[in-house]
Amino acid sequence: MRISYNWLKQFIKLDWNSEDTSALLTDLGLEVESVDKYESLKGGLEGVVVGHVLTCIQHPNADKLSITTVDLGDGNPPVQIVCGAPNVAVGQKVPVATIGTKLYDQEGNAFEIKKGKIRGEESHGMICAEDELGLGESHDGIMILAENLVPGTPASKVFNIETDEVFEIGLTPNRADAMSHLGVARDLRAGLIQKGVNHSELMTPSVSKFKVEKRTLKIDVKVEDTKLAPRYCGVTISGITVKPSPSWLQNRLKAIGLTPKNNIVDVTNYVLHELGQPLHAFDAAKIRGNKVIVKTLPAGTKFTTLDEVERILHEEDLMICDENGPMCIAGVFGGKNSGVTENTTAIFLESAYFNPVSVRKTAKRHTLSTDASFRFERGIDPTITEYAMKRAALLIQEVAGGEITSDPIDIYPKKIEDFSVILNFANVNKIIGEEIPKETIKKILVSLDIKVNSVSDAGLGLVIPSYRVDVQREIDVIEEILRVYGYNNINFTTKLNASISNSSRTEDYKVQNVIANQLVSQGFNEMMANSLTSPQYVSLSEKLKEEFNVTMLNPLSNDLSAMRQSLLFSGLEAVSYNINRRNSDLKLFEFGKSYHKMPSGYDEIKHLTLFVTGNRLMESWTTADKPSDFFLFKGYITAILSRLGIDKATTQPLENDVIAEGIALTVGKETIVEFGTVKKSILKHFDIKQEVLYADFNWSEVLKLISNKIKFVEIPKYPEVRRDLALLIDSNVQFEQIYSIAKQTEKGLLKDVNLFDVYEGNKLPEGKKSYAVSFTIQDTSKTLTDAQIDKIMSKLQQNFEKEVGATLR
């Protein structure tokens, strides 16, 4: 947001330099990102002064040149200037560009005036024509100035060149009250009062001269939905002349980056940035039936806006209509057929307070962002609606003529009340960390237009003005006190107090850090996706329901209008984004939540998701490319569960509408993780052509299974023994079954079971495969004998044959 310093000084008397003012504004929370210089004429005619031509003779070496001596009024002897203008003469007052002056052409290119010789005669400056100064296009001769001007007077004063300094303020979304020069001046006043600076009275434009001259043009107004338009004001002005604005008005708008249009539109923009109240001027002759109706229209109604784009209206879009149909999207954008043109002679001036949520929804639906909608969306001051209208009406009369031809209309059925807040002094001291004197607190609050309604030893009863939509709680008031008092004025103590908490090892953030560190050490990168996503993703999975979508009341866009029901799709967006940028070997993980609107209420579920695709290792001359596969991915999953001490999970085959082939691990009745390869139909939607492995941990259930106890086991003194079996089994038998049978067969001495080779080939019977399985056996109290080992292996072999029909190869 751009704020003109000259404009700001119309509200508050201040002789500070811009640097000090910007520092104070930044301390108050209105961060000044830059201060730019504005000149109504590039260069500001710096170095150009009024000169008095004392002599003028013919140049001896050129018929069309003259040699003049000019008094520059600087106390030095007159200078000699060679001039080619035919109208130069003795006694004239002329604009002179002195040595070192930079002048600019129409393209903004600078050229510097230097001492030189022209046809052998020295010239110490240049007597300028209108176009050479950038004041016009005439080059017929030099400019002749008024005779009463004093030599040496800067040309910038003669021609009223406006120079200004413009603050670029990084306004935060909550500070709706500061979206105008008046709003910034209010904050600046509070800061000045706190610093003890005198003359910090706020001066606002007077509207005492507003009066109704005639009642010849009445426009009836009907507001059908007062919830969407709580306050609506209007007045007619007749006999106006639409033309370019005067230079002072154009300079104000240009300084803050606006392009002047005509005097009527410029006034509405001026008051918008002056007071923060959006206004709209309708050509009164184009209002059919002399009636303005504020209402919504049926969905599908077509309306052409000022930018000549035909838009399809939503049934919740608030419209300003006449008897024939819509004229304007309320608070957002005007219509093509109702705006002011050069032929307009009478206008209906609108000033209103529209519902912020309604305006924001409409602006986002139609992808429109205007200065008016920017302010309406965040909440303007409902108390100045009529005042701003009168201010604009008086300015229009000043720059366009005309008369007020109707009584002011003000439809305000239910007044928007101020906010009441109780402030506790103890809470102020606790939050700020320093005791601020009670009188200082009251002084700060009063300087912010916050009324002190009641006073007690414990605190204050406050009334917050309705335009401060961001100050509705006690903590908000404390923040206001602190920013005006000054963050830099809070002292730091030399003593640091801290309390030791007895926290559990299994706190969520601690467990997340443990697993995150493990995954990072395995080559994973953590990602954080937006919880807002497209509501259309629910159509990609039967498990997700459209009615379970948690939708945004004020979405930033249609693609970010719902909370995600699954972390899969936001993860695939990240995978696709990376692959499209030639980063196709990925290992990603994310801790996040899914959101569901269930019949019983809103539900949030914590997840840990993993995504693996591409080669398992970076390209290198020492290793051949080898893609990540399901079994490697399964290793990452089991390593996580092992690290958390979860070793009683049951394996079940998994195949659903997003997983082509996978596994679900369950503990009891709860599924703690599902993982596998993502279906190609899902990948195609994200333009992914390579295999993606995906795991989804139900993190809330995982946390329930973690024990807070640590078990320490002494390293065994006695040796372990390994025996191998080559088992011929049916192709549908899984290792999980072999592992389970082995553990049930020998629960005491069998320490580990490992599958180290799988063979399926022509030499085996059809429907068979070979598993090479190792068994680690150990007794922690003594050395095992061969008889004990053989007995265990024999029993294992018998149970394998009995349970899954396994035979030894």
Side-chain angles (χ1 to χ4, degrees):
M1 182 182 71
R2 293 174 66 83
I3 294 294
S4 157
Y5 200 15
N6 288 347
W7 200 344
L8 197 62
K9 289 176 182 178
Q10 291 183 346
F11 288 96
I12 191 165
K13 291 181 180 179
L14 189 62
D15 56 2
W16 283 19
N17 60 44
S18 60
E19 190 174 325
D20 292 336
T21 303
S22 65
L24 178 56
L25 288 173
T26 299
D27 288 343
L28 290 167
L30 302 178
E31 183 180 359
V32 178
E33 298 174 343
S34 65
V35 181
D36 303 318
K37 187 175 182 180
Y38 168 76
E39 298 167 328
S40 59
L41 183 68
K42 190 171 178 63
L45 297 184
E46 186 176 349
V48 181
V49 299
V50 175
H52 184 198
V53 180
L54 301 178
T55 66
C56 179
I57 63 173
Q58 176 71 41
H59 193 294
N61 301 319
D63 294 339
K64 295 184 178 181
L65 296 178
S66 302
I67 299 175
T68 66
T69 56
V70 183
D71 177 13
L72 299 181
D74 56 1
N76 295 318
V79 297
Q80 177 174 296
I81 299 176
V82 177
C83 179
N87 62 332
V88 63
V90 173
Q92 292 174 339
K93 300 291 177 65
V94 293
V96 178
T98 58
I99 301 299
T101 298
K102 289 185 178 180
L103 299 178
Y104 296 84
D105 59 21
Q106 292 182 350
E107 286 73 33
N109 301 314
F111 62 94
E112 185 176 341
I113 304 300
K114 299 179 180 178
K115 175 184 175 181
K117 285 188 176 182
I118 301 176
R119 294 290 184 95
E121 296 294 333
E122 288 189 357
S123 183
H124 297 265
M126 183 172 78
I127 303 175
C128 301
E130 185 179 277
D131 65 331
E132 291 168 333
L133 296 177
L135 296 171
E137 298 180 357
S138 174
H139 194 69
D140 295 335
I142 60 170
M143 294 186 73
I144 310 299
L145 305 179
E147 293 183 1
N148 61 348
L149 290 175
V150 178
T153 302
S156 58
K157 293 184 177 180
V158 176
F159 298 106
N160 294 320
I161 302 302
E162 173 103 9
T163 59
D164 198 356
E165 292 173 293
V166 181
F167 302 122
E168 184 69 51
I169 295 179
L171 193 67
T172 52
N174 63 308
R175 291 303 308 276
D177 64 294
M179 294 186 296
S180 65
H181 286 77
L182 172 61
V184 174
R186 275 193 302 245
D187 255 25
L188 188 57
R189 177 192 60 174
L192 292 171
I193 291 174
Q194 177 61 24
K195 287 186 173 293
V197 177
N198 295 326
H199 309 298
S200 52
E201 180 184 353
L202 196 64
M203 300 172 291
T204 55
S206 172
V207 294
S208 60
K209 293 183 179 180
F210 179 90
K211 64 178 180 178
V212 180
E213 282 101 350
K214 297 178 181 178
R215 292 176 174 81
T216 55
L217 181 57
K218 182 182 179 183
I219 301 291
D220 294 324
V221 176
K222 180 181 180 183
V223 179
E224 293 189 359
D225 194 331
T226 55
K227 288 184 179 180
L228 299 185
R231 188 174 189 183
Y232 192 91
C233 298
V235 72
T236 64
I237 308 172
S238 302
I240 63 170
T241 302
V242 179
K243 58 185 179 181
S245 297
S247 58
W248 71 265
L249 178 52
Q250 292 196 33
N251 286 333
R252 282 285 180 266
L253 298 180
K254 288 178 181 178
I256 60 173
L258 296 182
T259 303
K261 304 293 185 184
N262 59 55
N263 50 1
I264 306 301
V265 174
D266 291 351
V267 165
T268 60
N269 283 332
Y270 181 88
V271 175
L272 166 70
H273 289 274
E274 179 185 51
L275 304 178
Q277 171 65 55
L279 303 163
H280 190 74
F282 297 90
D283 188 330
K286 297 175 183 178
I287 301 176
R288 304 305 175 191
N290 282 355
K291 182 177 289 186
V292 169
I293 308 167
V294 185
K295 62 180 181 178
T296 57
L297 295 173
T301 302
K302 295 180 179 179
F303 176 64
T304 303
T305 46
L306 276 172
D307 55 1
E308 298 187 353
V309 175
E310 185 177 78
R311 304 181 187 276
I312 307 300
L313 300 180
H314 189 272
E315 67 268 15
E316 293 181 0
D317 292 338
L318 186 65
M319 304 297 296
I320 311 300
C321 308
D322 60 13
E323 286 190 341
N324 284 6
M327 298 188 296
C328 173
I329 303 177
V332 181
F333 212 26
K336 176 184 176 183
N337 300 320
S338 63
V340 172
T341 67
E342 59 184 10
N343 299 318
T344 300
T345 59
I347 63 169
F348 174 73
L349 183 63
E350 169 196 274
S351 178
Y353 176 87
F354 296 118
N355 182 281
V357 174
S358 172
V359 173
R360 181 170 177 80
K361 285 184 175 181
T362 297
K364 295 303 176 184
R365 270 194 292 265
H366 297 290
T367 61
L368 288 169
S369 180
T370 61
D371 283 341
S373 68
F374 179 82
R375 285 158 177 78
F376 277 127
E377 289 172 11
R378 288 157 178 78
I380 62 171
D381 184 358
T383 64
I384 67 166
T385 310
E386 185 181 29
Y387 166 72
M389 178 190 71
K390 290 181 178 179
R391 166 67 170 158
L394 290 173
L395 284 174
I396 288 173
Q397 286 185 292
E398 178 183 336
V399 301
E403 299 174 313
I404 307 296
T405 50
S406 74
D407 289 315
I409 299 166
D410 186 5
I411 300 175
Y412 197 14
K414 185 178 180 181
K415 183 181 178 182
I416 297 174
E417 300 295 337
D418 294 336
F419 312 109
S420 296
V421 173
I422 302 298
L423 179 69
N424 189 300
F425 289 131
N427 289 338
V428 175
N429 299 333
K430 178 182 177 183
I431 297 297
I432 293 178
E434 183 176 311
E435 186 172 349
I436 298 177
K438 295 178 181 179
E439 287 304 316
T440 301
I441 291 175
K442 287 190 282 186
K443 181 180 176 182
I444 290 173
L445 294 174
V446 171
S447 72
L448 291 169
D449 293 335
I450 296 175
K451 298 177 183 177
V452 178
N453 208 27
S454 60
V455 181
S456 68
D457 292 337
L460 303 173
L462 304 174
V463 177
I464 315 296
S466 55
Y467 64 80
R468 287 309 305 269
V469 293
D470 61 321
V471 183
Q472 300 186 23
R473 304 169 299 168
E474 182 187 41
I475 190 66
D476 299 327
V477 176
I478 295 173
E479 183 183 3
E480 291 297 293
I481 295 169
L482 180 55
R483 73 180 182 85
V484 176
Y485 182 77
Y487 291 95
N488 296 331
N489 294 327
I490 303 300
N491 297 316
F492 290 93
T493 61
T494 57
K495 182 180 180 181
L496 180 64
N497 296 324
S499 58
I500 300 175
S501 62
N502 183 19
S503 60
S504 168
R505 288 180 55 254
T506 58
E507 284 189 73
D508 190 2
Y509 78 95
K510 291 183 178 180
V511 179
Q512 286 189 31
N513 286 338
V514 168
I515 298 306
N517 288 334
Q518 176 172 310
L519 289 170
V520 168
S521 69
Q522 293 172 330
F524 280 79
N525 289 299
E526 185 171 8
M527 61 171 281
M528 288 184 286
N530 198 336
S531 294
L532 294 173
T533 188
S534 170
Q536 305 302 322
Y537 282 155
V538 296
S539 62
L540 299 177
S541 172
E542 295 177 359
K543 293 173 65 176
L544 308 179
K545 303 296 182 183
E546 186 174 355
E547 58 267 26
F548 293 166
N549 268 338
V550 179
T551 56
M552 297 294 99
L553 293 175
N554 302 305
L556 296 173
S557 68
N558 291 332
D559 290 336
L560 297 172
S561 60
M563 305 290 281
R564 59 183 177 182
Q565 291 191 44
S566 170
L567 276 64
L568 170 63
F569 306 118
S570 54
L572 291 178
E573 286 178 347
V575 171
S576 176
Y577 184 89
N578 278 270
I579 291 175
N580 290 337
R581 285 153 183 79
R582 303 181 65 82
N583 183 23
S584 56
D585 302 330
L586 300 169
K587 294 179 182 177
L588 305 174
F589 73 94
E590 178 184 11
F591 289 98
K593 291 181 179 181
S594 61
Y595 306 86
H596 311 268
K597 184 181 180 182
M598 310 301 290
S600 58
Y602 292 99
D603 191 17
E604 296 182 13
I605 303 174
K606 294 180 181 178
H607 298 262
L608 164 62
T609 56
L610 275 61
F611 295 86
V612 172
T613 186
N615 293 320
R616 61 176 67 187
L617 296 174
M618 290 180 61
E619 184 179 16
S620 171
W621 65 275
T622 60
T623 56
D625 288 347
K626 187 174 183 181
S628 300
D629 56 29
F630 180 85
F631 297 102
L632 173 69
F633 192 58
K634 182 183 178 184
Y636 295 139
I637 309 299
T638 54
I640 291 172
L641 297 179
S642 176
R643 180 68 181 84
L644 297 176
I646 302 173
D647 55 4
K648 297 181 180 180
T650 303
T651 302
Q652 296 178 354
L654 174 68
E655 184 177 350
N656 55 36
D657 54 352
V658 295
I659 300 294
E661 185 178 6
I663 291 175
L665 299 180
T666 61
V667 175
K669 295 182 179 180
E670 297 295 336
T671 300
I672 58 171
V673 59
E674 295 180 345
F675 63 95
T677 56
V678 181
K679 280 191 172 181
K680 291 183 178 181
S681 59
I682 302 293
L683 298 179
K684 185 178 179 181
H685 184 84
F686 294 90
D687 195 28
I688 299 174
K689 298 179 176 63
Q690 61 192 57
E691 183 180 69
V692 176
L693 296 156
Y694 167 67
D696 182 9
F697 287 82
N698 187 328
W699 194 249
S700 300
E701 293 299 327
V702 168
L703 292 175
K704 296 177 184 178
L705 300 172
I706 302 174
S707 172
N708 201 34
K709 296 179 180 179
I710 299 176
K711 295 181 180 179
F712 295 91
V713 179
E714 186 181 357
I715 296 175
K717 299 178 181 179
Y718 300 97
E720 62 182 28
V721 176
R722 169 175 164 163
R723 291 288 187 270
D724 299 340
L725 292 178
L727 302 173
L728 185 65
I729 56 177
D730 293 338
S731 297
N732 60 354
V733 175
Q734 298 180 359
F735 173 68
E736 179 69 23
Q737 294 171 267
I738 302 296
Y739 183 90
S740 179
I741 293 169
K743 284 291 188 178
Q744 290 175 3
T745 300
E746 179 52 57
K747 298 180 180 180
L749 302 180
L750 185 61
K751 302 302 180 184
D752 191 25
V753 182
N754 182 48
L755 175 65
F756 63 90
D757 188 36
V758 179
Y759 176 73
E760 293 178 287
N762 298 330
K763 297 181 180 180
L764 296 181
E766 186 176 352
K768 297 288 185 178
K769 62 182 176 182
S770 175
Y771 271 5
V773 186
S774 65
F775 303 89
T776 302
I777 307 169
Q778 186 181 46
D779 190 335
T780 57
S781 60
K782 61 183 179 181
T783 302
L784 290 169
T785 64
D786 289 341
Q788 288 176 299
I789 296 168
D790 291 341
K791 182 179 179 182
I792 292 171
M793 294 306 298
S794 175
K795 192 174 181 181
L796 286 170
Q797 181 181 343
Q798 291 174 11
N799 286 345
F800 289 146
E801 182 176 356
K802 178 181 178 182
E803 297 290 338
V804 295
T807 58
L808 294 180
R809 288 188 64 192

Short mmCIF file of all heavy atoms in Angstrom, two decimals, residues 28-56:
data_model
loop_
_atom_site.label_atom_id
_atom_site.label_comp_id
_atom_site.label_asym_id
_atom_site.label_seq_id
_atom_site.Cartn_x
_atom_site.Cartn_y
_atom_site.Cartn_z
N LEU A 28 5.17 0.92 14.83
CA LEU A 28 3.74 0.79 15.14
C LEU A 28 3.10 -0.41 14.44
O LEU A 28 1.91 -0.65 14.61
CB LEU A 28 3.01 2.07 14.72
CG LEU A 28 3.29 3.32 15.57
CD1 LEU A 28 2.78 4.56 14.87
CD2 LEU A 28 2.66 3.18 16.95
N GLY A 29 3.87 -1.13 13.64
CA GLY A 29 3.34 -2.32 12.95
C GLY A 29 2.99 -2.07 11.51
O GLY A 29 2.62 -3.00 10.79
N LEU A 30 3.10 -0.82 11.05
CA LEU A 30 2.88 -0.50 9.63
C LEU A 30 4.25 -0.43 8.97
O LEU A 30 4.83 0.63 8.77
CB LEU A 30 2.13 0.83 9.49
CG LEU A 30 0.77 0.91 10.17
CD1 LEU A 30 0.16 2.29 9.99
CD2 LEU A 30 -0.17 -0.16 9.64
N GLU A 31 4.77 -1.61 8.63
CA GLU A 31 6.17 -1.70 8.18
C GLU A 31 6.37 -0.96 6.86
O GLU A 31 5.75 -1.28 5.84
CB GLU A 31 6.57 -3.16 8.01
CG GLU A 31 8.02 -3.33 7.60
CD GLU A 31 8.41 -4.78 7.44
OE1 GLU A 31 7.55 -5.65 7.67
OE2 GLU A 31 9.57 -5.04 7.07
N VAL A 32 7.27 0.02 6.88
CA VAL A 32 7.61 0.77 5.66
C VAL A 32 8.72 0.02 4.94
O VAL A 32 9.85 -0.08 5.43
CB VAL A 32 8.05 2.21 6.01
CG1 VAL A 32 8.45 2.95 4.74
CG2 VAL A 32 6.93 2.95 6.72
N GLU A 33 8.39 -0.52 3.79
CA GLU A 33 9.35 -1.33 3.04
C GLU A 33 10.28 -0.48 2.19
O GLU A 33 11.40 -0.89 1.90
CB GLU A 33 8.60 -2.33 2.16
CG GLU A 33 7.76 -3.32 2.98
CD GLU A 33 6.90 -4.22 2.13
OE1 GLU A 33 6.69 -3.89 0.94
OE2 GLU A 33 6.43 -5.26 2.64
N SER A 34 9.81 0.69 1.78
CA SER A 34 10.66 1.60 1.01
C SER A 34 10.05 2.98 1.03
O SER A 34 8.86 3.15 1.32
CB SER A 34 10.82 1.12 -0.44
OG SER A 34 9.57 1.16 -1.13
N VAL A 35 10.87 3.99 0.76
CA VAL A 35 10.40 5.37 0.60
C VAL A 35 10.85 5.84 -0.77
O VAL A 35 12.06 5.92 -1.05
CB VAL A 35 10.97 6.30 1.70
CG1 VAL A 35 10.44 7.71 1.52
CG2 VAL A 35 10.61 5.78 3.09
N ASP A 36 9.90 6.13 -1.64
CA ASP A 36 10.19 6.53 -3.02
C ASP A 36 9.91 8.01 -3.21
O ASP A 36 8.97 8.56 -2.63
CB ASP A 36 9.35 5.71 -4.01
CG ASP A 36 9.56 4.22 -3.84
OD1 ASP A 36 10.72 3.82 -3.65
OD2 ASP A 36 8.56 3.46 -3.88
N LYS A 37 10.71 8.64 -4.06
CA LYS A 37 10.52 10.05 -4.36
C LYS A 37 9.57 10.18 -5.54
O LYS A 37 9.69 9.45 -6.53
CB LYS A 37 11.86 10.72 -4.68
CG LYS A 37 11.77 12.23 -4.85
CD LYS A 37 13.15 12.85 -5.05
CE LYS A 37 13.05 14.37 -5.18
NZ LYS A 37 14.38 15.00 -5.38
N TYR A 38 8.62 11.09 -5.44
CA TYR A 38 7.70 11.36 -6.54
C TYR A 38 7.87 12.81 -6.99
O TYR A 38 7.97 13.72 -6.17
CB TYR A 38 6.24 11.14 -6.12
CG TYR A 38 5.25 11.69 -7.13
CD1 TYR A 38 4.99 11.01 -8.32
CD2 TYR A 38 4.61 12.91 -6.91
CE1 TYR A 38 4.11 11.52 -9.26
CE2 TYR A 38 3.73 13.42 -7.85
CZ TYR A 38 3.48 12.73 -9.02
OH TYR A 38 2.62 13.25 -9.96
N GLU A 39 7.91 12.99 -8.29
CA GLU A 39 7.97 14.31 -8.88
C GLU A 39 6.93 14.39 -9.98
O GLU A 39 6.87 13.50 -10.85
CB GLU A 39 9.35 14.60 -9.47
CG GLU A 39 10.47 14.60 -8.44
CD GLU A 39 11.86 14.58 -9.06
OE1 GLU A 39 12.00 13.98 -10.15
OE2 GLU A 39 12.78 15.14 -8.45
N SER A 40 6.11 15.44 -9.95
CA SER A 40 5.08 15.57 -10.99
C SER A 40 5.70 15.79 -12.36
O SER A 40 5.10 15.50 -13.39
CB SER A 40 4.14 16.73 -10.65
OG SER A 40 4.85 17.95 -10.55
N LEU A 41 6.93 16.29 -12.36
CA LEU A 41 7.71 16.41 -13.60
C LEU A 41 9.07 15.79 -13.32
O LEU A 41 9.73 16.16 -12.35
CB LEU A 41 7.87 17.88 -14.00
CG LEU A 41 8.62 18.14 -15.31
CD1 LEU A 41 7.80 17.64 -16.50
CD2 LEU A 41 8.91 19.63 -15.47
N LYS A 42 9.47 14.84 -14.13
CA LYS A 42 10.72 14.12 -13.88
C LYS A 42 11.89 15.09 -13.78
O LYS A 42 12.07 15.96 -14.63
CB LYS A 42 10.99 13.10 -14.99
CG LYS A 42 12.14 12.15 -14.68
CD LYS A 42 12.21 11.03 -15.69
CE LYS A 42 13.38 10.10 -15.41
NZ LYS A 42 13.26 9.42 -14.14
N GLY A 43 12.65 14.95 -12.72
CA GLY A 43 13.75 15.87 -12.47
C GLY A 43 13.36 17.04 -11.60
O GLY A 43 14.21 17.69 -10.98
N GLY A 44 12.05 17.36 -11.57
CA GLY A 44 11.55 18.43 -10.72
C GLY A 44 12.08 19.81 -11.07
O GLY A 44 12.02 20.73 -10.25
N LEU A 45 12.62 19.97 -12.30
CA LEU A 45 13.21 21.24 -12.75
C LEU A 45 14.32 21.72 -11.81
O LEU A 45 14.58 22.92 -11.68
CB LEU A 45 12.14 22.34 -12.88
CG LEU A 45 11.04 22.09 -13.93
CD1 LEU A 45 10.13 23.30 -14.02
CD2 LEU A 45 11.64 21.80 -15.30
N GLU A 46 14.96 20.75 -11.15
CA GLU A 46 16.06 21.10 -10.27
C GLU A 46 17.21 21.68 -11.08
O GLU A 46 17.64 21.10 -12.07
CB GLU A 46 16.53 19.86 -9.50
CG GLU A 46 17.58 20.16 -8.45
CD GLU A 46 17.95 18.94 -7.63
OE1 GLU A 46 17.25 17.91 -7.75
OE2 GLU A 46 18.93 19.02 -6.87
N GLY A 47 17.70 22.85 -10.68
CA GLY A 47 18.78 23.52 -11.41
C GLY A 47 18.29 24.52 -12.42
O GLY A 47 19.09 25.24 -13.03
N VAL A 48 16.96 24.58 -12.63
CA VAL A 48 16.37 25.56 -13.55
C VAL A 48 15.88 26.75 -12.72
O VAL A 48 15.11 26.58 -11.77
CB VAL A 48 15.20 24.95 -14.36
CG1 VAL A 48 14.65 25.99 -15.33
CG2 VAL A 48 15.68 23.72 -15.12
N VAL A 49 16.33 27.96 -13.10
CA VAL A 49 15.98 29.16 -12.34
C VAL A 49 15.47 30.24 -13.29
O VAL A 49 15.62 30.14 -14.51
CB VAL A 49 17.20 29.70 -11.55
CG1 VAL A 49 17.70 28.68 -10.55
CG2 VAL A 49 18.32 30.12 -12.51
N VAL A 50 14.88 31.25 -12.70
CA VAL A 50 14.45 32.42 -13.48
C VAL A 50 15.66 33.30 -13.77
O VAL A 50 16.43 33.65 -12.86
CB VAL A 50 13.38 33.23 -12.72
CG1 VAL A 50 13.04 34.51 -13.50
CG2 VAL A 50 12.13 32.37 -12.52
N GLY A 51 15.86 33.62 -15.05
CA GLY A 51 16.96 34.50 -15.45
C GLY A 51 16.43 35.79 -16.07
O GLY A 51 15.32 35.81 -16.63
N HIS A 52 17.23 36.86 -15.94
CA HIS A 52 16.87 38.16 -16.51
C HIS A 52 17.84 38.48 -17.64
O HIS A 52 19.06 38.60 -17.42
CB HIS A 52 16.94 39.24 -15.44
CG HIS A 52 16.48 40.58 -15.92
ND1 HIS A 52 16.78 41.76 -15.27
CD2 HIS A 52 15.75 40.96 -17.01
CE1 HIS A 52 16.26 42.78 -15.92
NE2 HIS A 52 15.63 42.31 -16.99
N VAL A 53 17.32 38.57 -18.90
CA VAL A 53 18.17 38.83 -20.06
C VAL A 53 18.58 40.31 -20.05
O VAL A 53 17.73 41.21 -20.16
CB VAL A 53 17.44 38.49 -21.38
CG1 VAL A 53 18.36 38.76 -22.57
CG2 VAL A 53 16.98 37.04 -21.37
N LEU A 54 19.91 40.54 -19.90
CA LEU A 54 20.41 41.92 -19.81
C LEU A 54 20.84 42.46 -21.17
O LEU A 54 20.60 43.63 -21.48
CB LEU A 54 21.59 41.98 -18.84
CG LEU A 54 21.31 41.51 -17.40
CD1 LEU A 54 22.58 41.57 -16.55
CD2 LEU A 54 20.21 42.35 -16.77
N THR A 55 21.49 41.60 -21.97
CA THR A 55 21.92 42.02 -23.30
C THR A 55 21.62 40.91 -24.30
O THR A 55 21.54 39.73 -23.93
CB THR A 55 23.42 42.33 -23.35
OG1 THR A 55 24.16 41.13 -23.12
CG2 THR A 55 23.81 43.39 -22.32
N CYS A 56 21.50 41.29 -25.56
CA CYS A 56 21.26 40.29 -26.61
C CYS A 56 21.80 40.86 -27.92
O CYS A 56 21.31 41.88 -28.42
CB CYS A 56 19.77 40.01 -26.73
SG CYS A 56 19.36 38.81 -28.02
#
